[in-house]
Amino acid sequence: MAESAAAPYGNWFTPYRAVLRSRMRSQQAYPLSFAADMLSSLLVGVVEFAEVWVIYHNVRVLGGLDMHAMLLLFGLSNVTFAIAQIAVGHTDTLPTYIRLGTLDAFHLRPQPLLLQLITSDISLRRLTRAAVAAAVLAAGLVENNIHWTTTKFALLALSLPAGVAIFAGLFVAAAGLQFFLIDGSELTNSFTYGGAFAAQQPTAVFGLPLQVLFGFAVPVAFVAYLPTIALLGHGGPDWLPAGLAWATPGAALWIWALALTFWQLGVRHYQGGGG
């Protein structure tokens, strides 16, 4: 009886789900505005792909990858980034919450602050950008002559969620730093959105310092470049051999360790909105 009586009250995620549903309904309340937002996000995805396509149309081979390989690289990097952006990309609005004092209200609720921030919004308009990236990824999987084995299927299945986790961790790390920077979004964006741009480039074209940066410090090379060369059977540069693609979950754990450290330090540093 006690269990049946408690069932209608839901579980620990029920309040977060209610907030997300309200945010989704509010975005769709004005259909014309919502359609315009979806269209603008679609155009962003198309333009980003067009930029990369123009480069490979003229260069033919860049960093050991040709046009067909580029489809796979672009698709993997942009699908994972778009999903992470939909889920946690709105954490970059934290400085606004701090300045307005809205974050103080979050502290009054008996739920983890980070989880409240992550579930405070969801950007449905970015679904069209994810759709563009998914279409390019599908084309890359078809156009490339990949000798599919159980191992390669497993690598692809592993790389997608791990890539999403890496970008999500970067967003959370950037949010944690905002407690100290407040108006330093340009700096943190260089690692989030800049990391997304770097992820859609073949890491082999970078010099050694940038290979170390994007391979190990901000490991966006694990998102798309390493899985791409592993799926295609390429060797990769000395510092980033294709076999490291299997370490993508480790790269995600590394980023989340940094992200949660920055977040905890930022929350302890926060003294209130001053209102």
Side-chain angles (χ1 to χ4, degrees):
M1 291 294 292
E3 290 182 1
S4 62
Y9 295 99
N11 53 38
W12 67 271
F13 192 69
T14 299
Y16 303 109
R17 184 167 56 245
V19 171
L20 288 173
R21 284 177 177 174
S22 67
R23 294 293 186 270
M24 288 189 283
R25 285 196 300 267
S26 66
Q27 290 178 46
Q28 300 173 62
Y30 299 95
L32 185 59
S33 176
F34 181 65
D37 286 342
M38 296 282 280
L39 178 61
S40 65
S41 180
L42 175 68
L43 292 176
V44 169
V46 171
V47 168
E48 285 187 344
F49 174 69
E51 291 174 350
V52 177
W53 183 86
V54 167
I55 293 173
Y56 278 86
H57 182 70
N58 289 278
V59 177
R60 302 296 181 181
V61 176
L62 184 64
L65 302 182
D66 59 10
M67 177 72 79
H68 290 168
M70 178 275 294
L71 297 174
L72 190 57
L73 178 69
F74 181 92
L76 280 172
S77 62
N78 280 266
V79 162
T80 51
F81 179 75
I83 294 173
Q85 193 180 32
I86 291 168
V88 300
H90 50 275
T91 55
D92 59 9
T93 61
L94 180 63
T96 302
Y97 289 161
I98 293 175
R99 285 193 293 267
L100 295 178
T102 309
L103 193 65
D104 293 356
F106 286 13
H107 280 86
L108 300 176
R109 300 167 187 162
Q111 288 114 6
L113 182 62
L114 178 58
L115 192 54
Q116 287 189 67
L117 181 63
I118 290 175
T119 57
S120 65
D121 201 357
I122 185 169
S123 301
L124 294 179
R125 60 186 173 82
R126 290 167 175 160
L127 287 171
T128 50
R129 179 179 180 180
V132 172
V136 175
L137 175 58
L141 293 172
V142 171
E143 291 295 327
N144 285 284
N145 187 23
I146 301 174
H147 179 62
W148 287 106
T149 62
T150 303
T151 301
K152 289 190 176 180
F153 275 116
L155 178 60
L156 181 62
L158 181 72
S159 299
L160 287 169
V164 173
I166 288 174
F167 281 128
L170 287 176
F171 276 113
V172 172
L177 290 173
Q178 290 304 320
F179 283 107
F180 301 94
L181 302 173
I182 306 298
D183 290 316
S185 58
E186 291 81 4
L187 175 62
T188 55
N189 285 350
S190 65
F191 293 99
T192 52
Y193 294 94
F197 178 79
Q200 66 187 32
Q201 313 299 325
T203 310
V205 302
F206 299 137
L208 181 58
L210 288 180
Q211 286 186 24
V212 173
L213 174 64
F214 294 125
F216 302 101
V218 184
V220 292
F222 285 83
V223 172
Y225 175 68
L226 287 171
T228 295
I229 61 175
L231 289 172
L232 297 178
H234 295 182
D238 294 336
W239 281 80
L240 291 169
L244 281 179
W246 290 99
T248 303
L253 289 175
W254 157 247
I255 282 297
W256 271 98
L258 283 181
L260 294 177
T261 299
F262 290 157
W263 180 260
Q264 290 297 329
L265 290 174
V267 170
R268 292 174 185 173
H269 174 76
Y270 181 67
Q271 299 296 319

